Amino acid sequence: MNSLKYHAQFQRDKMMDNGPDSSILCRELKWLMEDAVEDHSLFSKMGFENSDEKVKMRVGIEELYNLWKERIEKRRPFQYVVGCEHWRELVLSVQEGVLIPRPETELIVDFVCDVVSKNEDLKRGVWADLGTGSGALAIGIGRALGIGGRVVAADISPVSVAVAAYNVQRYCLQDKIEVREGSWFEPLKDMEGKLAGLVSNPPYIPSKEISGLQAEVGRHEPRVALDGGVDGMDALFHLCDGAALFLKPGGFFAFETNGEQQCRDLVDYMKNKRSESLCNFEIVADFAGIQRFVIGFHH
Amino acid sequence: MAHKMIWKLKPSLMLPLTFNSQSKHVIRFHHHPFSSLTIHHPINYTTTAAANTNNNGDYVKAKEFLELTDEELVRQCEMDFLKSSGAGGQHRNKRESAVRLKHLPTGIIAQASEDRSQHMNRDSAVKRLRALIALKVRKPVDLDAYSPPRELLQILPPKSTIRGSEIGPQIGPKNQKFALGMQALLDLIFAVEGSISEAAKYIGLSTGALSRLILSDDSLRKEVNDLRASKGMKPLK
């Protein structure tokens, strides 16, 4: 009876902000069970006859129910409920206070792989991922770099720094990726003119749109990772200025944006103000066809 | 240092585990719920093949498709992400990770939705596309001057009388290279109009050995049996 009530509440709620529909929720429920079962190999055998084997759970049924209730009642993101997100070939730990990495951002790693496959110097250079959050980009890139290649991952949030460091360690990349705490280029003072590459998925949502976001995002994810100021471009402009200063000659950059308008504004800004150091600007669409990324090089 | 930072983490599903372990102050990485990174998800994908390749233009390209790299192959495709809509990016908590590839030159469609990561679904969709191209795209074979291509020899069992030892170990259905051999085998079987005993002669195998090879892969078996059914022949079992 109760669960019906939650469901009705959820239905009303999600109508308001285009939240997940029942097919997505069913899939999440299946994933929740997968993560809750101790031995994954048993999962595929369940539901068939003759399986009197006992299934050991990581959490009690009561707690599992409460977790799901939070998902429905509070619209807590599924990724926070299970504590992880699957991103590229990685499984990354996430929790409240850390932005959940988005599938769109996976593409930035492809850009980097492409660039380093053609340029041994960049492959062995030092890269920076600013506003690293869970460390997703840093880890994706760290795995693509060659011997001698390193990544500095920075974030202003101590929770992000801890989670990113944990994820880096889980993939045994602590020798290759260094996680630093601080705002944008602040922790990179020793790197001026030395970076082989710079990537970021900075906050880019215009402030006035924050209140209208899907509940999972607006109520639960860290505002500092979403809110990009009046027109959403505060961090992006700052990153462009920093790219001009911190990249070495031939260095590569890739930034994620809110969409077509921001991409164009960003390219205009760089053409007008930073063309003495940055060049070869390109706007790249994500898989949904939205112009999402600005990439380019240092002269 | 690292330990201190980790201790701040607020694990959710991993929490009870941590406290079940003997020492309360050490997080045991091997007990972490996500430490088994090679999770095998039960597969419930849908694969739709809408091939049609009976015009000669496609014959020429057939083998070449499979020789393309994944990237080149994807470039020939239209890719959609089911139900993707709206602004995307940071705006959404996006659980929709299904990927659908439509290979424009052949019209073959492959999709994958079983994984939680879009990237992994893309990989699976490409693998599936390769297998479907092998199954659905046919090339003509000149039986008078027939000599089995190397990729076909590689999937044959060593007892084949025309398979030299330089071919290396037999490639099974789980190997990605199996698709190329399977394609060449189907080309031959189509050329002999579904007769297993005829086809077996061309590749130095007994009828029984070739049947066993065909039965070793479900999709290959189905394709052969569909052909046999269309010719009024009994299916292989």
Side-chain angles (χ1 to χ4, degrees), chain A:
Chain A
M1 212 36 221
N2 266 342
S3 61
L4 281 178
K5 199 175 76 198
Y6 298 135
H7 192 70
Q9 171 66 36
F10 188 85
Q11 286 295 333
R12 270 198 304 280
D13 250 28
K14 73 129 189 148
M15 299 293 268
M16 308 290 287
D17 65 7
N18 191 23
D21 63 23
S22 58
S23 70
I24 292 176
L25 288 176
C26 285
R27 192 158 46 203
E28 288 184 5
L29 205 47
K30 184 182 135 229
W31 288 334
L32 178 70
M33 292 311 292
E34 271 176 30
D35 282 359
V37 169
E38 188 86 50
D39 178 1
H40 284 280
S41 64
L42 285 176
F43 199 78
S44 53
K45 296 180 207 153
M46 281 181 213
F48 297 102
E49 53 185 326
N50 300 335
S51 58
D52 46 6
E53 225 170 325
K54 288 207 170 128
V55 178
K56 203 171 166 205
M57 307 281 281
R58 292 202 170 97
V59 287
I61 289 293
E62 189 74 9
E63 188 175 355
L64 207 54
Y65 179 74
N66 288 332
L67 284 171
W68 188 247
K69 217 167 85 174
E70 275 186 331
R71 171 75 190 100
I72 303 298
E73 275 186 279
K74 299 193 179 146
R75 302 280 304 271
R76 189 176 176 215
F78 176 75
Q79 297 88 336
Y80 288 159
V81 170
V82 293
C84 72
E85 171 66 320
H86 293 231
W87 191 85
R88 289 184 71 89
E89 71 282 14
L90 310 169
V91 182
L92 298 163
S93 176
V94 292
Q95 66 176 55
E96 268 83 359
V98 178
L99 187 82
I100 298 160
R102 306 292 200 264
E104 283 87 348
T105 314
E106 290 180 343
L107 265 179
I108 292 184
V109 179
D110 288 340
F111 304 152
V112 174
C113 288
D114 202 36
V115 166
V116 300
S117 71
K118 294 174 198 145
N119 186 327
E120 197 61 25
D121 185 45
L122 298 184
K123 194 171 184 173
R124 291 160 182 269
V126 182
W127 288 67
D129 168 19
L130 301 186
T132 191
S134 61
L137 277 174
I139 295 169
I141 292 168
R143 287 157 63 95
L145 295 182
I147 299 157
R150 286 201 302 128
V151 187
V152 178
D155 206 292
I156 194 170
S157 143
V159 184
S160 283
V161 169
V163 170
Y166 174 73
N167 283 321
V168 166
Q169 199 162 3
R170 282 197 51 235
Y171 284 94
C172 302
L173 288 168
Q174 56 273 37
D175 294 337
K176 215 166 198 171
I177 303 175
E178 188 192 338
V179 186
R180 298 182 184 179
E181 187 175 325
S183 172
W184 307 118
F185 295 91
E186 228 172 69
L188 264 67
K189 295 227 166 86
D190 54 327
M191 299 277 171
E192 238 179 84
K194 291 183 185 163
L195 292 180
L198 172 64
V199 299
S200 182
N201 172 22
Y204 54 61
I205 298 177
S207 302
K208 62 176 189 309
E209 291 177 26
I210 297 285
S211 62
L213 288 172
Q214 185 191 348
E216 281 82 356
V217 181
R219 281 190 220 157
H220 298 273
E221 289 196 280
R223 181 162 183 152
V224 67
L226 300 167
D227 189 342
V230 176
D231 53 8
M233 302 279 288
D234 290 2
L236 283 165
F237 286 136
H238 186 61
L239 285 164
C240 289
D241 295 345
L245 201 60
F246 282 80
L247 285 176
K248 66 179 185 180
F252 172 80
F253 67 85
F255 304 134
E256 183 171 327
T257 78
N258 199 26
E260 189 175 348
Q261 190 60 47
Q262 285 193 0
C263 281
R264 285 211 213 130
D265 292 351
L266 208 59
V267 170
D268 283 347
Y269 176 80
M270 287 189 281
K271 275 187 179 155
N272 293 328
K273 299 259 173 75
R274 299 283 164 247
S275 61
E276 76 285 359
S277 41
L278 304 176
C279 62
N280 295 348
F281 310 116
E282 211 181 308
I283 293 175
V284 188
D286 63 22
F287 287 134
I290 295 174
Q291 302 198 332
R292 178 72 62 197
F293 309 97
V294 175
I295 64 176
F297 290 87
H298 198 282
H299 277 304

Side-chain angles (χ1 to χ4, degrees), chain B residues 14 56 67 105 144 179 186 196 209 220:
Chain B
M14 59 184 171
N56 291 322
E67 283 168 356
D144 294 330
L186 281 164
I196 304 305
L220 175 59

Side-chain angles (χ1 to χ4, degrees), chain B residues 54-94:
Chain B
N54 296 329
N55 62 50
N56 291 322
D58 288 336
Y59 285 151
V60 189
K61 298 180 207 143
K63 182 175 159 198
E64 289 148 39
F65 292 141
L66 295 183
E67 283 168 356
L68 298 175
T69 64
D70 284 358
E71 268 173 54
E72 289 165 335
L73 197 59
V74 169
R75 244 177 266 141
Q76 298 186 329
C77 292
E78 190 180 87
M79 174 152 40
D80 0 274
F81 296 93
L82 308 177
K83 289 186 189 170
S84 60
S85 64
Q90 288 168 9
H91 292 261
R92 301 280 297 152
N93 176 264
K94 194 174 179 184

